[in-house]
């Protein structure tokens, strides 16, 4: 099995839209992010994730960010431009990133009703 992924040469802070038509894994090679980033997860610019998913379906999205300072991190996401409440593994949202290496964020998104999602989020830091 293999899965396509999206490599983005820019910084996460300059590319906060995560379009799943480009893959479920997004790798940002531009170093760092600034402060608390809010990601907007959608299917594409013209098709919403809500339209693509049926109630009872789930997707798992991974975002990898090359780091060079601890001030950049992902603390929240949106789905189709709407804020969602994440349930963070460990009990609370991140407040920083690693000072080097790659920070890895995973979002398990479950559609429970029309435009209603339960999201389990996780951050892992590498050196």
């Amino acid at each position: 099995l293999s899965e396509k992924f999206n490599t983005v040469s820019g910084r996460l802070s300059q590319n906060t839209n995560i379009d799943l038509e480009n893959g479920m894994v997004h790798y940002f090679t531009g170093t760092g992010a600034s402060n608390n980033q809010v990601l907007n997860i959608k299917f594409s610019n013209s098709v919403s994730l809500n339209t693509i998913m049926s109630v009872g379906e789930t997707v798992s999205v991974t975002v990898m960010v090359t780091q060079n300072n601890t001030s950049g991190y992902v603390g929240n996401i949106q789905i189709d431009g709407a804020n969602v409440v994440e349930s963070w593994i460990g009990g609370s949202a991140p407040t920083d990133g690693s000072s080097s290496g790659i920070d890895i964020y995973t979002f398990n998104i479950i559609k429970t009703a029309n435009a209603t999602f339960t999201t389990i989020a996780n951050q892992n830091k590498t050196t």
Side-chain angles (χ1 to χ4, degrees):
L1 286 175
S2 66
E3 181 176 331
K4 100 178 160 174
F5 71 96
N6 183 33
T7 300
V8 181
S9 61
R11 294 172 56 136
L12 177 63
S13 55
Q14 299 166 332
N15 301 280
T16 57
N17 285 319
I18 305 297
D19 292 340
L20 300 186
E21 73 176 345
N22 296 324
M24 303 309 280
V25 177
H26 297 259
Y27 177 37
F28 291 83
T29 60
T31 54
S34 31
N35 302 320
N36 179 9
Q37 299 302 301
V38 178
L39 301 181
N40 181 29
I41 298 174
K42 53 197 177 78
F43 182 73
S44 71
N45 284 334
S46 59
V47 179
S48 69
L49 188 59
N50 186 56
T51 300
I52 294 294
M53 291 181 71
S54 297
V55 173
E57 289 185 335
T58 184
V59 295
S60 181
V61 180
T62 301
V63 176
M64 299 180 293
V65 181
T66 303
Q67 278 291 31
N68 69 348
N69 83 50
T70 60
S71 67
Y73 62 96
V74 176
N76 298 96
I77 67 166
Q78 297 176 331
I79 297 176
D80 297 331
N83 292 329
V84 297
V85 176
E86 308 89 2
S87 295
W88 285 91
I89 293 175
S92 59
T95 57
D96 64 3
S98 61
S99 60
S100 63
I102 299 173
D103 289 355
I104 303 163
Y105 298 88
T106 304
F107 303 99
N108 294 302
I109 300 168
I110 303 163
K111 184 172 179 180
T112 57
N114 182 45
T116 305
F117 300 91
T118 297
T119 303
I120 310 300
N122 192 33
Q123 177 201 46
N124 286 297
K125 301 177 192 177
T126 69
T127 56

